[in-house]
């Protein structure tokens, strides 16, 4: 552990390390997981077996899981000390993305609800 | 052990290492700093896309009596697009592995395959856009369609820029070999390309799959 070459520990996102076989294997595992999650997403969207109102939430969860797979296996974001800066930058990015999306959707939905007009009229207003 | 290791870590120090990265050793090497800077750019790009996603989610029902999500999107096409971009991302990773070993032939082959999958994706997207505009469902039809073309078109523009960058990298590796600055550019390209695939995951889920739920 302590004998490891410091240059090997200093890897940036997207920069693979270790042997060629394990590097390739990491990408193959990532591809397989991404394919499985994509397949489940398309199946969930087309099946009628599942409870309808929950499908959209399930799809979002699957998408977030697949983003995680991409980050770990393709971009090589790890919890290692060499990756601290990358992870912190990612955390800040995720925070901003979350604030922008949830904030906008939340506020706009409440504005729609509180305008006191029917959805059809609201629809007309938003086109101008 | 130097005295550096005994000073307590404060502020923006590097978690696991003994120095701050700006101490007695000087700044980190370019192979660390350049990808980190590019990673910050990619994250800011994701913030840009989050704003487009938010506007799309707000305007998705503002169809002005025109076509809604259910009537426009073809899931089979989207499935092929998704496969093409995912495989492109995967092959780009293979190219990085061979580029690290300075294997010219395989690096070029994988990069060309990456570009071909990217072209497949882009052609399908342009076909879909052309079909929609031909049916009168262009960006000027409704607020929903404006938001749709802005969001998906912005991703398509990124893919186009990525393909141009990929062509440049193929030429540069061919002409200049695996010089350090060239491999750094290639690494930045791979980060960019993988990030585009991550954004596509959000697009095919939120726009296409949720949009075509029964």
């Amino acid at each position: 552990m302590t004998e490891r070459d410091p240059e090997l520990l200093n890897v940036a996102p997207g920069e693979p390390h270790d042997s060629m076989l394990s590097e390739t294997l990491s990408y193959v595992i990532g591809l397989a997981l991404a394919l499985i999650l994509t397949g489940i997403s398309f199946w969930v969207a087309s099946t009628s077996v599942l409870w309808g109102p929950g499908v959209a939430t399930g799809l979002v969860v699957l998408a977030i899981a697949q983003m995680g797979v991409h980050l770990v296996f393709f971009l090589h974001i790890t919890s290692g000390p060499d990756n601290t800066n990358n992870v912190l930058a990612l955390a800040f990015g995720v925070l901003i993305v979350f604030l922008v999306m949830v904030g906008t959707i939340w506020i706009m939905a409440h504005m729609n609800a509180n305008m006191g007009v029917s959805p059809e009229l609201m629809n007309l207003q938003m086109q101008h | 052990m130097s005295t550096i290791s005994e000073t307590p870590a404060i502020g923006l120090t590097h978690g696991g290492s003994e120095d701050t990265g700006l101490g007695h050793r000087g700044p980190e090497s370019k192979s660390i700093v350049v990808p980190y800077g590019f990673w910050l750019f990619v994250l800011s790009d994701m913030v840009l896309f989050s704003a487009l996603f938010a506007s799309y989610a707000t305007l998705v029902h503002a169809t002005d009596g025109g076509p809604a999500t259910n009537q426009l999107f073809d899931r089979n096409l989207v499935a092929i697009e998704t496969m093409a971009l995912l495989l492109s991302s995967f092959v780009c990773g293979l190219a990085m592995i061979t580029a690290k070993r300075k294997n010219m032939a395989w690096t070029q082959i994988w990069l060309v395959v990456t570009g071909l999958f990217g072209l497949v994706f882009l052609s399908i997207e342009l076909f879909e856009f052309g079909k929609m505009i031909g049916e009168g469902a262009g960006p000027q039809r409704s607020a929903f369609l404006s938001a749709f073309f802005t969001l998906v078109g912005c991703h398509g523009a990124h893919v186009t820029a990525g393909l141009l960058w990929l062509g440049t990298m193929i030429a540069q590796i061919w002409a200049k070999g695996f010089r350090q600055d060239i491999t750094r550019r290639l690494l930045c390209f791979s980060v960019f390309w993988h990030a585009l695939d991550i954004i596509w995951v959000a697009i095919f889920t939120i726009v296409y799959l949720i949009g075509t739920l029964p």
Side-chain angles (χ1 to χ4, degrees), chain B residues 74-82 124 127-128 131 200:
Chain B
D74 179 355
R75 268 193 199 167
N76 295 328
L77 273 186
V78 176
I80 300 171
E81 276 182 288
T82 306
I124 298 174
F127 167 76
E128 188 200 22
K131 193 161 156 276
W200 180 253

Side-chain angles (χ1 to χ4, degrees), chain A residues 6-8 10-21 23-24 27-28 30-31 34-35 38 41-42 44-47 52 55-57 59-60 62-64 66-67 70-71 74-75 77 81-87 89-91 93-94 96-98 100-101 104-105 108 112 123-124 126-127, chain B residues 12-17 25 28-29 31-32 35-36 39-40 43 46-47 49-51 53-55 57-59 61-65 75-76 78-79 82-83 86-87 89-90 92-94 96-98 100-101 142-143 187 190-192 194-195 197-199 201-202 204-206 209-210 212-214:
Chain A
E7 285 307 308
L8 270 180
N10 282 334
V11 285
E15 192 176 6
H17 39 302
D18 299 320
S19 77
M20 188 165 182
L21 185 69
E23 278 174 16
T24 313
Y27 279 97
V28 171
L31 178 69
L35 281 175
T38 307
S41 282
F42 275 85
V44 164
S46 21
T47 185
V55 167
T57 314
L59 284 171
V60 170
L62 283 165
I64 291 171
Q66 193 175 341
M67 288 176 189
H70 283 240
L71 282 174
F74 291 168
L75 284 170
I77 292 286
D82 55 309
N83 242 305
T84 313
N85 285 333
N86 300 321
V87 172
L90 175 67
V94 169
I96 300 297
V97 167
F98 179 81
V100 168
M101 290 195 66
T104 306
I105 293 166
M108 293 311 286
N112 269 356
N123 191 15
L124 282 175
M126 290 179 71
Q127 286 139 24
Chain B
L12 294 169
T13 51
H14 205 281
S17 72
R25 209 173 59 174
E28 284 282 10
S29 67
S31 67
I32 303 291
Y36 182 59
W39 178 231
L40 293 182
L43 288 169
M46 297 210 172
V47 172
F49 271 101
S50 77
F53 271 111
S55 59
T58 308
L59 295 170
H61 298 299
T63 53
D64 190 21
R75 268 193 199 167
N76 295 328
V78 176
T82 306
M83 286 301 300
L86 181 59
L87 287 174
S89 209
F90 171 71
C92 177
L94 297 183
M96 293 308 297
I97 293 173
T98 49
K100 195 178 156 192
R101 273 91 189 166
S142 64
L187 177 61
S190 78
V191 172
F192 183 70
H194 293 316
D197 204 18
I198 292 180
I199 291 166
V201 170
F204 88 70
T205 302
I206 293 175
L209 288 185
I210 293 182
T212 52
L213 287 179

